[in-house]
Amino acid sequence: MNNLLEAHSVSKNFGNFTALNNVSIAVPKGSIFGLLGPNGAGKTTLIRVINQITMPDTGHVLLDGEPLQRHHIQNIGYLPEERGLYKSMKVGEQALYLAKLKGMHKTEAKKRLLDWFERLEIGDWWNKKIQELSKGMAQKIQFVVTVLHQPKLLIFDEPFSGFDPINANIIKNEILRLREEGATVIFSTHRMESVEELCDHIALIHKSNKVLDGNLNAIKREYKTNTFEIGINVSNAKDVEQQLNERFHVSAANFKSLGDELKLNIKLSEKDTANDLLNYLTTKGQLSHFVEVVPSANDIFIQTVKNN
Amino acid sequence: MNHLPLIIKREYLTKVKNKAFILMTFLSPLIMIALISIVVYLIQMNTSKVRQISILDESGLVKQIFKDTENTKYNILDGISLENAKEIVKEKGDYGLLHILKIDNLNEASKSIRFYSEDSPSISLISSLDDKIEKELTNINMYRMDVNPEIIESSKINIDIAQESFDGEKTSEIDSGAKIVFGVIAGYLLFMFIIIYGNMIMRSVIEEKTSRIIEVIISSVKPVQLMLGKIIGTSLVGITQFVIWIILGSVLIVVVSLIFDIDITQMNMSQQETIQHAIQGSGDKMKDIQGFMNAFFKLPLTNLIIAFILFFISGYLLYSSLYAAIGAAVDNETDTQQFMMPIILPLILAVYVGGFTVIEDPHGTISTIFSFIPFTSPVVMLMRIPFGVPIWQQILSLLILIGTFMGTVWFAAKIYRIGILMYGKKPSYKELIKWVKY
């Protein structure tokens, strides 16, 4: 079994509104899986189905090969986008309560909590009330509570919102560490740079349908257009550009550099290879920049959503 | 995995440990006692004030009957005009002036008697003057008609009809009093309990919504469990608070009456006096209280207690599940008003039916019908039971109530499940029904 979680043809309607239409995803074990999509696409509904908060109308979900059951909540840690804590409860009390709801024993929960609090340097918050903490501080507690019961599957919905860059980085590293320790992560966000940074796999949901999914690199390979971004120092820029234009499909490029070289995007036809272009360019002048243009997750996101 | 005990425990502990709750629990009885003490003190001050009343009796028929008492002093004026008398009374600052003209026809004596005073006089004073003059003039009238009032007095026969049901159970008016007291206390207790702790449940549901913790929680527990946990936890809080109030209240009453040397039984007597007077002349108060206690213990106590517990719990659960549903449907407390009306109305109706109809005719059509309608039955049935309701009726009513209660819990759970994840717009009734169908 290579997939920790599989959703098969899940559909959900609310009255006349279709929130999910026949959506299937497969989350490989040990991966960080990006669940992407514009606002209102149905991501949250899918996450709620996985958490058994919402029951699907049709379709089913397998966790580790077993159909989803009530006891599986112990294997899932969920950080919803709409999150909060009891304001008037003390940090420690509250964390223990939430841990016990996940089926943990009190002594074990307390031990692990103290470990986490120490690691995140929030040990002295145990007896503070949530309402005395800042939003970012409360978010840290929330994160700890989500992962405390060492679930196999972690679901984070916009985990970095509310964090300053330093704390966001701490949380990012903790997520990576948890993955190292064997957890699988589903990660829903609008921040494409964190998708780029973290995700191995993605699925894109748009208007209740899954429009794209797979390994992020494979998708990028699929979306790339065989275009190279080059910078070249030549004496007669106009002539070189014209010569290039005759052989390749050329457009202006824009990237930061130290000199004032000629900057171009060059799209190769199918019969040309990168080496052909490179050899050709070296005959023209001093090459300062040669990079294959790989579509960013952001580009793929926008392009896919527009095309659908 | 059953999370219910965990949820109940949290609900209970966080509420009980809340500072506002502790303050309310211990201050309320103090405030109540303080208020009662002030009222009692004022009443005592009022009655202990001596009233001066001047009498100008031009008929000469009644002036001899006014004897000074502890609180009322009479001052007989003679041989002056009404105008002069008024002046004198005003100057002296007397309470009032009773003026009796010459009476030609005793049957129309009322026309000749008038009470003058600065402010409106107290009703009890006027009625006691009425009684005195009436009695005297009646006696005079009797003599004039050659009837000896003493003979009439001695020929009076006092009747107190003994009541007995067909199966031999003896009752009396005092028994009915005990029944009414029990029924009214039970009914009002339930009413208060529902309003106070129903609202508490509602607020705690809203709190979970506004603090946005709800989705975190229901990724671990079923919404129905969370709802039931809240209802049960809050009920236990309510019971705790009530028990503390009862204990504190009793202790405080004893302490206060010891400190201020107020005889509680005496207090009741003086207040009952006027009523008692009108009904049956002077009665032996101690005997009445004893009779009341006896009547109380003659009530079918086992039945009462069991019925009280069952109806109280089912009735409370019925309403509290609706409160929970309302809490789930809205985002903040100000939006709850629209949904509160349908809950409060049947409750108030129940208390009114219980308070008037049941006391008047405990087994009449209206009382019987309302003691079967589930939204009014807990209150109305609790008020009826002391008067003896056949067991089959109690069981049927309870079954209807429990059936409805399961229905409302199901209904509330549906609304709860959807509502707790809905933010923003306040839903309409139409939308609520749509939620139930999801």
Side-chain angles (χ1 to χ4, degrees):
Chain A
M1 200 75 220
N2 280 325
N3 293 329
L4 181 69
L5 183 95
E6 285 176 23
H8 293 283
S9 328
V10 171
S11 295
K12 178 73 191 176
N13 297 299
F14 294 110
N16 293 325
F17 175 72
T18 304
L20 285 176
N21 182 23
N22 221 9
V23 172
S24 303
I25 58 166
V27 181
K29 239 177 216 167
S31 68
I32 296 185
F33 188 95
L35 190 59
L36 316 179
N39 293 321
K43 287 170 300 185
T44 305
T45 307
L46 180 60
I47 290 176
R48 283 181 182 166
V49 167
I50 295 170
N51 277 295
Q52 303 177 67
I53 292 170
T54 309
M55 291 299 128
D57 294 341
T58 58
H60 62 280
V61 181
L62 302 178
L63 185 75
D64 232 351
E66 283 176 51
L68 218 49
Q69 278 163 12
R70 201 63 215 166
H71 69 85
H72 283 132
I73 55 164
Q74 292 181 59
N75 301 327
I76 301 179
Y78 174 37
L79 184 69
E81 189 179 4
E82 294 285 1
R83 53 184 170 252
L85 296 161
Y86 290 111
K87 291 203 167 53
S88 54
M89 256 177 121
K90 285 179 183 160
V91 171
E93 240 173 50
Q94 174 146 235
L96 277 180
Y97 171 65
L98 293 171
K100 280 193 269 180
L101 283 186
K102 283 288 186 190
M104 284 181 76
H105 195 269
K106 190 179 171 181
T107 45
E108 175 68 15
K110 189 158 185 179
K111 200 176 129 248
R112 281 196 217 166
L113 269 174
L114 290 173
D115 280 355
W116 269 102
F117 279 24
E118 200 175 324
R119 181 154 59 226
L120 296 180
E121 293 168 355
I122 52 180
D124 50 342
W125 293 358
W126 188 270
N127 276 321
K128 278 196 179 160
K129 284 187 178 170
I130 296 293
Q131 59 200 7
E132 300 166 29
L133 302 180
S134 73
K135 194 183 170 204
M137 292 157 106
Q139 294 272 55
K140 267 190 180 175
I141 309 283
Q142 194 111 45
F143 178 81
V144 171
V145 163
T146 309
V147 302
L148 190 72
H149 56 293
Q150 298 180 336
K152 285 191 250 180
L153 178 63
L154 285 164
I155 304 175
F156 295 118
D157 200 344
E158 292 294 352
F160 303 122
S161 71
F163 279 123
D164 59 52
I166 296 168
N167 279 317
N169 205 41
I170 293 174
I171 296 301
K172 192 187 82 191
N173 289 333
E174 289 300 334
I175 292 176
L176 288 171
R177 197 179 58 83
L178 286 165
R179 198 255 299 260
E180 292 295 302
E181 287 175 3
T184 305
V185 179
I186 295 179
F187 182 37
S188 169
T189 184
H190 292 124
R191 287 170 49 168
M192 287 305 147
E193 72 275 11
S194 46
V195 174
E196 205 83 61
E197 212 173 339
L198 292 172
C199 295
D200 322 312
H201 287 71
I202 61 164
L204 182 60
I205 294 178
H206 182 47
K207 288 186 180 156
S208 323
N209 289 287
K210 187 186 73 180
V211 290
L212 178 73
D213 79 336
N215 182 287
L216 184 58
N217 287 337
I219 290 173
K220 283 187 173 181
R221 244 173 265 135
E222 211 172 287
Y223 271 69
K224 74 172 187 178
T225 51
N226 224 12
T227 302
F228 292 84
E229 193 177 67
I230 62 135
I232 188 163
N233 288 302
V234 288
S235 48
N236 50 346
K238 283 239 166 101
D239 291 350
V240 173
E241 193 175 342
Q242 207 157 19
Q243 286 163 14
L244 279 166
N245 224 340
E246 282 162 17
R247 260 199 84 171
F248 309 102
H249 188 271
V250 176
S251 56
N254 191 13
F255 55 87
K256 280 186 182 161
S257 68
L258 298 173
D260 56 352
E261 63 267 61
L262 177 63
K263 297 171 182 175
L264 293 172
N265 274 329
I266 301 177
K267 187 176 178 198
L268 301 184
S269 60
E270 302 218 337
K271 56 182 196 293
D272 289 318
T273 66
N275 278 355
D276 293 340
L277 176 62
L278 194 59
N279 289 334
Y280 182 81
L281 286 173
T282 47
T283 63
K284 298 294 172 192
Q286 195 67 36
L287 206 55
S288 65
H289 185 91
F290 189 91
V291 177
E292 182 172 14
V293 177
V294 178
S296 66
N298 200 32
D299 297 335
I300 295 171
F301 182 92
I302 291 170
Q303 201 186 329
T304 319
V305 168
K306 269 193 186 154
N307 289 346
N308 280 275
Chain B
M1 202 178 348
N2 190 7
H3 292 119
L4 205 53
L6 210 57
I7 298 166
I8 294 172
K9 197 174 138 201
R10 192 203 82 88
E11 286 296 325
Y12 183 81
L13 286 179
T14 46
K15 288 212 172 61
V16 168
K17 281 199 256 168
N18 185 300
K19 283 198 191 80
F21 175 87
I22 297 173
L23 215 62
M24 272 307 292
T25 308
F26 289 95
L27 274 187
S28 299
L30 283 176
I31 294 170
M32 277 297 286
I33 297 289
L35 280 179
I36 292 171
S37 309
I38 289 171
V39 171
V40 167
Y41 177 71
L42 288 180
I43 288 173
Q44 277 191 332
M45 207 171 68
N46 207 20
T47 48
S48 64
K49 209 170 75 185
V50 176
R51 284 180 183 140
Q52 292 277 2
I53 291 168
S54 295
I55 313 262
L56 179 60
D57 183 6
E58 291 179 23
S59 72
L61 290 175
V62 289
K63 61 183 170 195
Q64 71 283 356
I65 62 170
F66 297 105
K67 301 264 159 42
D68 286 358
T69 64
E70 208 178 316
N71 296 327
T72 322
K73 302 270 186 262
Y74 297 100
N75 174 27
I76 312 291
L77 303 173
D78 254 329
I80 49 173
S81 72
L82 175 61
E83 294 311 313
N84 283 341
K86 279 187 192 169
E87 287 297 317
I88 293 169
V89 170
K90 252 195 213 169
E91 252 167 57
K92 275 174 61 190
D94 280 1
Y95 189 77
L97 168 69
L98 181 68
H99 179 233
I100 300 133
L101 278 171
K102 226 170 131 33
I103 299 169
D104 298 323
N105 184 352
L106 275 176
N107 290 329
E108 289 175 8
S110 273
K111 284 182 188 167
S112 321
I113 306 170
R114 194 148 293 177
F115 189 84
Y116 299 93
S117 64
E118 190 76 43
D119 309 312
S120 323
S122 98
I123 293 171
S124 63
L125 173 82
I126 295 294
S127 74
S128 90
L129 290 177
D130 276 353
D131 286 350
K132 282 196 178 77
I133 301 172
E134 202 174 282
K135 206 170 158 198
E136 182 60 20
L137 291 185
T138 309
N139 279 349
I140 295 172
N141 213 10
M142 283 186 195
Y143 280 120
R144 285 192 187 170
M145 292 170 167
D146 276 336
V147 181
N148 186 349
E150 275 158 31
I151 293 176
I152 290 193
E153 190 59 37
S154 63
S155 65
K156 269 191 183 163
I157 291 163
N158 198 9
I159 295 291
D160 185 7
I161 297 179
Q163 302 166 31
E164 189 171 331
S165 65
F166 287 123
D167 43 22
E169 200 185 327
K170 291 196 178 78
T171 53
S172 73
E173 277 176 39
I174 290 177
D175 292 0
S176 299
K179 288 169 182 171
I180 290 171
V181 168
F182 180 88
V184 168
I185 288 178
Y188 273 96
L189 208 60
L190 176 58
F191 175 74
M192 294 280 294
F193 205 84
I194 287 174
I195 300 243
I196 297 176
Y197 300 104
N199 264 300
M200 202 185 254
I201 291 173
M202 193 177 75
R203 277 199 305 275
S204 109
V205 174
I206 294 175
E207 187 215 335
E208 271 174 7
K209 269 189 89 172
T210 49
S211 71
R212 313 260 155 160
I213 194 176
I214 189 72
E215 201 168 343
V216 177
I217 301 279
I218 58 166
S219 66
S220 305
V221 303
K222 282 185 186 165
V224 184
Q225 265 184 13
L226 182 61
M227 188 180 87
L228 285 179
K230 277 187 171 304
I231 291 174
I232 298 170
T234 312
S235 316
L236 293 177
V237 172
I239 292 168
T240 311
Q241 197 168 38
F242 257 69
V243 169
I244 294 177
W245 278 346
I246 289 168
I247 295 171
L248 263 183
S250 336
V251 170
L252 277 174
I253 285 175
V254 171
V255 169
V256 167
S257 43
L258 281 179
I259 293 174
F260 293 99
D261 199 23
I262 300 166
D263 191 336
I264 296 163
T265 50
Q266 285 292 330
M267 271 308 306
N268 289 336
M269 270 162 55
S270 65
Q271 271 169 351
Q272 283 172 2
E273 204 147 19
T274 27
I275 310 162
Q276 291 276 343
H277 225 74
I279 299 172
Q280 45 172 250
S282 65
D284 189 351
K285 305 306 170 330
M286 274 327 282
K287 219 173 99 190
D288 274 6
I289 289 167
Q290 210 128 59
F292 185 85
M293 290 315 287
N294 287 341
F296 186 81
F297 286 111
K298 265 198 300 192
L299 290 175
L301 278 181
T302 336
N303 181 358
L304 276 181
I305 289 167
I306 291 172
F308 178 77
I309 292 171
L310 289 178
F311 276 97
F312 198 93
I313 292 175
S314 333
Y316 171 73
L317 289 179
L318 174 74
Y319 276 99
S320 53
S321 61
L322 292 179
Y323 270 104
I326 293 178
V330 302
D331 275 3
N332 54 61
E333 248 185 292
T334 43
D335 287 345
T336 58
Q337 294 307 327
Q338 173 197 2
F339 300 110
M340 292 291 277
M341 273 309 273
I343 291 194
I344 300 289
L345 273 182
L347 260 183
I348 292 178
L349 186 68
V351 170
Y352 273 91
V353 168
F356 295 117
T357 323
V358 171
I359 288 170
E360 181 60 34
D361 184 5
H363 304 308
T365 322
I366 294 177
S367 313
T368 312
I369 289 174
F370 275 100
S371 63
F372 283 103
I373 297 174
F375 288 92
T376 53
S377 67
V379 174
V380 178
M381 193 51 112
L382 278 181
M383 290 186 171
R384 271 187 75 198
I385 285 175
F387 294 95
V389 176
I391 290 291
W392 71 265
Q393 275 197 21
Q394 296 183 28
I395 290 175
L396 180 61
S397 169
L398 193 64
L399 286 181
I400 295 175
L401 183 61
I402 290 173
T404 318
F405 150 61
M406 299 213 277
T408 53
V409 168
W410 174 84
F411 169 83
K414 285 263 182 187
I415 289 182
Y416 192 85
R417 209 188 48 172
I418 307 287
I420 45 179
L421 293 174
M422 293 276 179
Y423 289 104
K425 212 168 122 294
K426 183 171 73 167
S428 63
Y429 282 108
K430 221 170 113 190
E431 280 170 285
L432 286 187
I433 290 168
K434 231 163 74 189
W435 291 1
V436 175
K437 289 183 192 155
Y438 279 170

